[in-house]
Amino acid sequence: MAIEHLNDFLQNYFTAHSCDLLHNQDGVLTVQLTEKMDRALMNRPFYWHYVKSTGFAGEPMKLTLITNPDKRDEKGDWIHFGSPRLQQLFTHLHTNEKYTRLFQKIDTTAKLALYPWLVINIKISYVGKQKKDEIISIGLHLVNGMMKTEMMDYLKTLPLQMTISDYCFTISPLIKVSSGFKRIEAVLENYIENQTFEWADESVKTLNEEIKMLKHFYSDRMDEENLERKMEQEIDEIINRYQPHVSFRVINGGIFYLNDDPALTIQ
């Protein structure tokens, strides 16, 4: 299953970046890179500088990626979780594709309105004695202000593309993106405030116990040179390790133009 998922990811990744799939069979995928993707992935800056200085178009490379373990000895890049090439693709996505703008693909011969949604995927981290991460996906209708959670699960059911379909037109947002993000931020803060915090209480309890034990350890040795400073440093390390806190980070997001759907109701 992991092999299929990796192969699907590679197909979608290169197709989205306008690269032709020359061969795709039994876990072996060969793609023809565009100039842009060659520059991003193949580390040939001197080649591209030379061909451009001479007035030639240049020839982007082909790239073969192997996800089938039985084929790993064939010529190409063996792709698995943790492989350098896969990490390079993830880094490229994270750096260049954090935000997107997509349209719902609709086959129609009548004029049809598409409404703008601001969709943000956020990782909430609960950090203390132990760490727990939670991924939340929220969509905000930028015309009527309606919100929907688990928005990515809904978007996965829709055909999406980078260009608007024929006969479709977009409705201008009434809510600015910056204002919309603040609304989502407020919802997240309210969500966090309403969580139970036994984990935080446990972290504070452990923190105090560790500091108490440390001070007891040093209590009979405080006359030694620089020992007090060393104890304070260790206390700071304990606080950094156990002090509970919650943070959230935007993973990715974008503006999605969607047709009205009864399934898009407030959650």
Side-chain angles (χ1 to χ4, degrees), residues 9-53:
F9 164 75
L10 294 172
Q11 290 180 62
N12 293 335
Y13 173 85
F14 286 106
T15 299
H17 288 87
S18 304
C19 297
D20 293 331
L21 306 184
L22 305 178
H23 173 86
N24 184 22
Q25 187 175 2
D26 198 21
V28 180
L29 173 67
T30 299
V31 299
Q32 173 62 65
L33 299 176
T34 62
E35 177 183 334
K36 182 178 179 181
M37 291 306 293
D38 188 299
R39 287 176 177 269
L41 302 178
M42 303 312 292
N43 193 27
R44 301 198 297 165
F46 297 112
Y47 168 79
W48 287 108
H49 175 76
Y50 171 75
V51 296
K52 292 302 180 180
S53 66

Side-chain angles (χ1 to χ4, degrees), residues 140-146 172-180 183:
L140 170 68
H141 196 300
L142 291 178
V143 175
N144 61 25
M146 180 174 64
S172 298
L174 298 180
I175 301 170
K176 292 182 178 180
V177 171
S178 57
S179 176
R183 293 191 188 196

Side-chain angles (χ1 to χ4, degrees), residues 123-134 199 203 241 245 247 249:
K123 181 171 78 169
I124 303 177
S125 297
Y126 304 85
V127 183
K129 183 179 179 180
Q130 296 179 335
K131 181 180 178 181
K132 184 182 79 169
D133 293 328
E134 181 180 13
W199 64 272
S203 294
R241 191 182 315 135
H245 65 275
S247 64
R249 177 178 65 84

Side-chain angles (χ1 to χ4, degrees), residues 28-249:
V28 180
L29 173 67
T30 299
V31 299
Q32 173 62 65
L33 299 176
T34 62
E35 177 183 334
K36 182 178 179 181
M37 291 306 293
D38 188 299
R39 287 176 177 269
L41 302 178
M42 303 312 292
N43 193 27
R44 301 198 297 165
F46 297 112
Y47 168 79
W48 287 108
H49 175 76
Y50 171 75
V51 296
K52 292 302 180 180
S53 66
T54 57
F56 291 100
E59 295 184 9
M61 296 180 68
K62 297 181 179 66
L63 186 61
T64 296
L65 307 161
I66 302 167
T67 56
N68 185 344
D70 296 333
K71 305 283 187 176
R72 62 186 299 176
D73 293 330
E74 295 186 10
K75 187 176 181 179
D77 288 358
W78 163 232
I79 301 296
H80 57 90
F81 290 103
S83 65
R85 180 66 77 187
L86 187 61
Q87 293 306 309
Q88 182 191 36
L89 302 186
F90 287 161
T91 299
H92 180 257
L93 279 174
H94 180 74
T95 303
N96 300 283
E97 314 294 337
K98 196 168 184 177
Y99 301 101
T100 189
R101 181 172 178 265
L102 294 173
F103 302 85
Q104 183 176 351
K105 182 180 180 181
I106 297 177
D107 185 13
T108 180
T109 57
K111 288 187 177 181
L112 191 66
L114 299 182
Y115 294 85
W117 283 79
L118 172 63
V119 179
I120 303 291
N121 298 313
I122 298 154
K123 181 171 78 169
I124 303 177
S125 297
Y126 304 85
V127 183
K129 183 179 179 180
Q130 296 179 335
K131 181 180 178 181
K132 184 182 79 169
D133 293 328
E134 181 180 13
I135 305 297
I136 292 183
S137 180
I138 297 180
L140 170 68
H141 196 300
L142 291 178
V143 175
N144 61 25
M146 180 174 64
M147 281 194 188
K148 178 178 175 62
T149 58
E150 300 179 357
M151 190 65 180
M152 283 304 300
D153 289 339
Y154 174 74
L155 290 176
K156 288 176 183 177
T157 67
L158 302 179
L160 299 170
Q161 59 188 20
M162 300 181 70
T163 57
I164 191 167
S165 297
D166 292 340
Y167 300 101
C168 292
F169 62 96
T170 61
I171 300 296
S172 298
L174 298 180
I175 301 170
K176 292 182 178 180
V177 171
S178 57
S179 176
F181 185 82
K182 288 179 181 178
R183 293 191 188 196
I184 292 175
E185 202 172 37
V187 168
L188 284 173
E189 289 173 351
N190 182 67
Y191 172 76
I192 292 169
E193 288 173 1
N194 285 281
Q195 299 298 304
T196 57
F197 288 95
E198 290 87 351
W199 64 272
D201 295 336
E202 185 66 26
S203 294
V204 171
K205 179 181 177 182
T206 302
L207 184 153
N208 291 331
E209 289 174 349
E210 292 281 333
I211 291 177
K212 183 178 179 181
M213 290 176 58
L214 183 69
K215 287 183 175 180
H216 178 73
F217 173 77
Y218 280 104
S219 60
D220 297 328
R221 304 168 56 194
M222 294 305 294
D223 55 334
E224 296 182 26
E225 187 177 357
N226 296 324
L227 208 58
E228 185 173 359
R229 179 182 298 178
K230 187 174 186 300
M231 184 185 72
E232 292 300 327
Q233 289 176 343
E234 293 190 27
I235 288 176
D236 288 341
E237 291 174 1
I238 291 172
I239 292 174
N240 289 335
R241 191 182 315 135
Y242 293 113
Q243 184 69 48
H245 65 275
V246 179
S247 64
F248 57 83
R249 177 178 65 84

